[in-house]
Amino acid sequence: MDMNREELQEDRYARLRLIPWWDQKKLKSATVMVVGAGAIGNEILKNLALLGVGKILIVDMDHIENSNLSRAVLYREADEARPKAVVAAERINEINPEIAAIPLQGSIISQVGKGFFRHADLVLGGLDNREARLSINQKCWKTNTPWIDGAIEVFQGFARVFVPPQSACYECTMSQADYKLLNFRKSCSLLSRKEMMEGKVPTTPTTASVIAGVQVQEAVKLLHPDADLQPLTGKGFVFNGLSHDSYVVTYPRNEECYSHETWEPIVEVHRRSESTTLREMVEIIRERLNLKEAVLETDMEIAIEAHCICGDKESLFRPLMEVSLEDAICSECGEEREILMAHQFTGQEAYADMSLKEIGFPPGEIYQGRSGKEIVYMEMTSDIEKILDNKY
Ligand SMILES: [Zn+2]
Ligand SMILES: [Zn+2]
């Protein structure tokens, strides 16, 4: 880097550096995952880019629609039908060319391995459904990654901070009504479960910018752990844009909560999911544990095959989450087929010579290798390095 460029850099952040505890190096060296590039996500991303957060991973599965344009500062009319994650990454790179914005198009529940959470310093959520929040929460706890949730509806919203392993988590804040809704959705047929996740909430860009502003400010606090900035850990800022009687709530930690599982130690496996077979992965686990009968487990069901009473069979090989009712209907006889699924693998399966990717596991996944009570957590680290560092 030559002198001029360095001076220019000094310029960009000069006003921020006037803040006594501000440490631009901490922001530059941070990796932050943003889940959801909608109304809140756009505002989060804009703020992170302005502040010079060095590496920003943007996860979103959707494409830009016209109705996004009233609430999303990063999108233009000409972007219609393009992936949100990709366009958002391009635009925040324009806002600040010194950062690395990395798009990851896919569902946070089934297509982003837990290793990505472990490699992030923080996760920021701009989501509109409980399922995705719960999934982020569990992955953040397992990998010991703080996360900051944001939610908005019309002129109201909240921002809350969850820091594993000690604080209250998202699931601790769930009410009986939340559980009921979640269980109701889970018990529904495949298609309606998918449909219900697409519930639309009325939102405004003004509330989105307030809540995203608070979320990113909390992120800045967490990235300066030595500065005693009193982050909202285990608490929520409740914004009421009608009456302006906004306040802070403290969430009690529920010791019975199902989400408080921490996975450690996590072992890095320097392999890629697309070039490692299931059989090889089970072998790696057995070597590591030095136990011949160890198996590979995941916390996510993989749909292997659909069987029909008429005799028809079809390979699925994808997370069960991604199987719709349509997929389950037999094209031969119209009956609903039985879905064969698995979450435990011995390496002896008929498909054991398929790659982990082909079987339907997400990139960067952390697998559990188990033999009785003995357990080891194995992360597909090269998948993550390829996406985050553009390696290989
Ligand atoms: Zn909890
Ligand atoms: Zn059939």
Side-chain angles (χ1 to χ4, degrees), residues 47-75:
N47 288 332
L48 293 175
L50 290 173
L51 295 176
V53 167
K55 202 172 277 185
I56 304 169
L57 181 66
I58 307 166
V59 183
D60 195 294
M61 66 192 292
D62 293 330
H63 294 81
I64 296 168
E65 295 169 29
N66 240 305
S67 65
N68 298 133
L69 299 177
S70 62
R71 289 155 302 124
V73 69
L74 302 174
Y75 305 145

Side-chain angles (χ1 to χ4, degrees), residues 308-312 330-335 337:
C308 185
I309 41 166
C310 78
D312 186 62
C330 178
S331 55
E332 296 295 317
C333 71
E335 285 295 316
R337 300 181 293 188

